[in-house]
Amino acid sequence: RGLSPLSRWVWVVLCCTNFAWFVSWMYIPAFMGVEIMGGDPSAAPQSPEQELYFEGADLLASRAMLVQSVLSLFLSPCFPVCMRVAGKSCLWAACELLHAAVYCLTPFIGSKDAAVAILGLQGVAWSAFLEIGR
């Protein structure tokens, strides 16, 4: 007969979350190269602007995704215990709020380390998505 109204809302939020993850994963390298490092992807080859862009797009973006992966790896075994204490819905909501905070903080990132750390926090929501639904 279909989903309950609450289940429909959860499904919509999950769809939006997945869209946000995959869009951010596509644009994090460009953001790191242009906004954080001040590079220019269309600069002349081997120019300082192009080198800065590649440092941000390659190195910093890879580090942020590594932090996401490591967080997800280490948090996944912890989430079943957290679910027994806080409940699935509360844990899921807290992780989604953290995920939203990451996106809201992104325009205010001012340093390379902050960019890697803040964007790496998406690993918490990713781990929750993988574990809470099991």
Side-chain angles (χ1 to χ4, degrees), residues 5 22-23 28 41 44-45 49-50 58 61-62 66 88 112 126:
F22 294 114
V23 168
I28 282 176
E49 292 83 14
Q50 189 185 50
D58 295 341
S62 295
L66 175 66
K88 284 185 177 185
K112 296 188 287 187
W126 182 247

Side-chain angles (χ1 to χ4, degrees), residues 51-134:
E51 294 297 324
L52 285 171
Y53 175 78
F54 284 134
E55 182 182 347
D58 295 341
L59 182 66
L60 291 182
S62 295
R63 284 182 184 169
M65 290 187 189
L66 175 66
V67 171
Q68 289 177 20
S69 300
V70 170
L71 267 175
S72 182
L73 176 71
F74 285 109
L75 287 176
S76 290
C78 300
F79 275 146
V81 174
C82 295
M83 282 187 284
R84 284 193 292 273
V85 173
K88 284 185 177 185
S89 7
C90 289
L91 182 60
W92 181 73
C95 291
E96 290 304 313
L97 288 172
L98 175 65
H99 196 211
V102 166
Y103 286 128
C104 291
L105 287 173
T106 302
F108 305 105
I109 296 173
S111 72
K112 296 188 287 187
D113 293 334
V116 169
I118 290 172
L119 294 172
L121 283 175
Q122 290 186 59
V124 175
W126 182 247
S127 183
F129 175 76
L130 294 174
E131 284 298 316
I132 292 174
R134 291 191 327 154

Side-chain angles (χ1 to χ4, degrees), residues 18-32 53 57 61 65 68 103 122:
N18 283 329
F19 179 77
W21 272 323
F22 294 114
V23 168
S24 71
W25 286 338
M26 287 187 296
Y27 290 107
I28 282 176
F31 170 78
M32 296 287 226
Y53 175 78
M65 290 187 189
Q68 289 177 20
Y103 286 128
Q122 290 186 59

